[in-house]
Amino acid sequence: MSDNTQDEPKILIVEDEKPMAKALNLKLNNSGFSAEMAGDGEQALETLENNQFDVLLLDLVMPNLDGFDVLEKLNSEDSPFDRPGTIIILSNLSQESDIEKAKEMGADDFFIKSDISINKVVDEVKQYA
């Protein structure tokens, strides 16, 4: 059996809610992606330091470093991180100001968790990857 993981778009799921992260990970990996998980912003940055991803699925409300902190670090001029090709926010924050702030900080798209199914998330990722 050949290893074709190089051809699969790489997705980093940054989500502190384990059931949500595991469900996304399973669905994405079964949909032709190579998905990895990080449980908070610090873990995400450690992963981004050594790996390049096509899509970053980023929660905003997390312990240690939140999603806004991750966006800020990715955008800093001396950032040691390879910026993912696409950044999609998946959050329970639904204030227009939070959505605008995330997009101003480089998010390509923003979805409110309670309004979107995991299948729809996968469909959205397919459009970007």
Side-chain angles (χ1 to χ4, degrees), residues 15-83:
E15 170 63 67
D16 63 321
E17 295 174 32
K18 283 192 173 67
M20 175 79 169
K22 285 182 178 172
L24 278 167
N25 191 46
L26 186 65
K27 188 72 176 169
L28 286 163
N29 278 315
N30 287 334
S31 298
F33 297 102
S34 174
E36 292 181 38
M37 297 183 292
D40 61 42
E42 282 181 2
Q43 200 179 357
L45 291 175
E46 285 171 19
T47 304
L48 287 167
E49 220 167 344
N50 303 311
N51 302 281
Q52 195 163 8
F53 290 89
D54 298 296
V55 177
L56 178 65
L57 284 176
L58 181 62
D59 187 10
L60 292 177
V61 181
M62 297 179 291
N64 302 324
L65 281 178
D66 68 19
F68 288 121
D69 291 332
V70 171
L71 286 171
E72 191 174 310
K73 292 199 181 300
L74 287 175
N75 290 328
S76 72
E77 284 188 29
D78 57 349
S79 172
F81 311 106
D82 271 333
R83 190 184 188 285

